[in-house]
Amino acid sequence: MAETTVAEVMAELAALEDPKVRQVNEKHGDDHGVNLGKLREVAKRLKTQQELARRLWDTGDTAARLLALLICRPKAFERAELDAMLREARTPKVHDWLVNYVVKKSAHAEELRVAWFADPDPVVASAGWALTTERVAKKPEGLDLGGLLDTIEAEMKDAPDRLQWAMNHCLAQLGIEHPELRARALDIGERLEVLKDYPTPPNCTSPFAPIWITEMVRRQQDR
């Protein structure tokens, strides 16, 4: 197979640009106009290409970076490289995909979780919380779960948006996965009222922690 060049990929992404998609994305802080389903189709065709992924990331273009995260090899990145990428990932979707599709599969995930969790930049800290939430659900051994609730109780109400969202997710996960903490998690959620009035589409679960916890526990019991 002939090597695909960055220029060819950028031309393809430019052809997929849709002003209506961009308008919707920009409301969420994402500056690109490529339908994500079409982006995934491009990624499927390109398959895994680590060097191309690195070069696409280096363009700084949001759609190119999203594509890079779909075609990269997560375990090929060094810790310092992932740290630098996260600090450059200022749009929500790139940040989210980098954490979920790449960092979580990396051998450096735990080291980065600890470093980012304590970072003074709230966007970087939100990635540390996202990785902590993953551990709360899948590998809680060694985590101070009560201490997480203490921090959420003290800091979530006044945290910047992205960090607040990540802390709220962790609060919900603590209540869903750990029955011994559920009453306290529900109480914190009720008192802080974070995301209580968040507009939630029909058939979707509200991100307000008490509703979220109650609904997910009900589904677990119905299984």
Side-chain angles (χ1 to χ4, degrees):
M1 187 175 97
E3 189 185 8
T4 309
T5 67
V6 171
E8 286 167 350
V9 176
M10 296 305 288
E12 186 168 3
L13 293 176
L16 290 171
E17 174 78 22
D18 181 334
K20 287 180 183 167
V21 172
R22 179 175 284 273
Q23 203 176 1
V24 171
N25 286 337
E26 283 180 346
K27 287 179 185 167
H28 304 292
D30 290 311
D31 56 349
H32 76 94
V34 180
N35 174 285
L36 294 180
K38 290 181 177 172
L39 192 77
R40 289 180 189 280
E41 285 172 18
V42 175
K44 201 172 174 181
R45 194 186 74 246
L46 290 172
K47 300 191 171 71
T48 303
Q49 295 193 49
Q50 180 66 9
E51 283 316 305
L52 178 60
R54 280 199 168 101
R55 294 201 299 274
L56 287 171
W57 180 272
D58 288 343
T59 66
D61 178 83
T62 294
R65 284 187 161 182
L66 290 171
L67 182 60
L69 295 172
L70 293 174
I71 66 167
C72 73
R73 191 175 289 107
K75 292 186 168 73
F77 293 107
E78 298 296 332
R79 180 197 153 160
E81 200 172 5
L82 291 171
D83 183 68
M85 287 167 75
L86 186 88
R87 291 172 195 281
E88 291 171 14
R90 304 317 286 181
T91 65
K93 186 64 75 179
V94 171
H95 182 275
D96 184 49
W97 281 20
L98 175 60
V99 172
N100 285 297
Y101 297 171
V102 181
V103 178
K104 282 181 181 178
K105 297 174 183 174
S106 159
H108 310 293
E110 180 59 16
E111 270 183 76
L112 289 170
R113 180 189 77 79
V114 173
W116 290 343
F117 191 84
D119 199 276
D121 180 333
V123 177
V124 175
S126 74
W129 276 90
L131 293 170
T132 300
T133 301
E134 172 95 343
R135 272 203 58 190
V136 164
K138 295 183 177 174
K139 198 181 167 190
E141 300 76 27
L143 287 180
D144 177 5
L145 301 181
L148 289 174
L149 285 175
D150 292 343
T151 304
I152 291 166
E153 189 169 20
E155 298 175 17
M156 181 170 78
K157 182 85 173 171
D158 300 315
D161 286 357
R162 300 266 284 280
L163 180 54
Q164 185 185 68
W165 189 272
M167 284 182 163
N168 184 69
H169 188 183
C170 191
L171 174 64
Q173 213 64 54
L174 284 160
I176 293 162
E177 301 290 345
H178 300 280
E180 72 283 6
L181 300 174
R182 191 167 296 148
R184 188 178 172 207
L186 288 166
D187 176 62
I188 290 169
E190 290 288 359
R191 281 187 291 104
L192 298 186
E193 298 190 334
V194 167
L195 301 174
K196 187 174 185 177
D197 301 319
Y198 191 83
T200 305
N203 303 321
C204 290
T205 304
S206 167
F208 178 47
I211 294 175
W212 190 353
I213 293 166
T214 305
E215 173 60 17
M216 298 314 282
V217 171
R218 181 191 66 76
R219 287 187 200 176
Q220 286 174 354
Q221 289 165 348
D222 285 352
R223 271 185 217 145

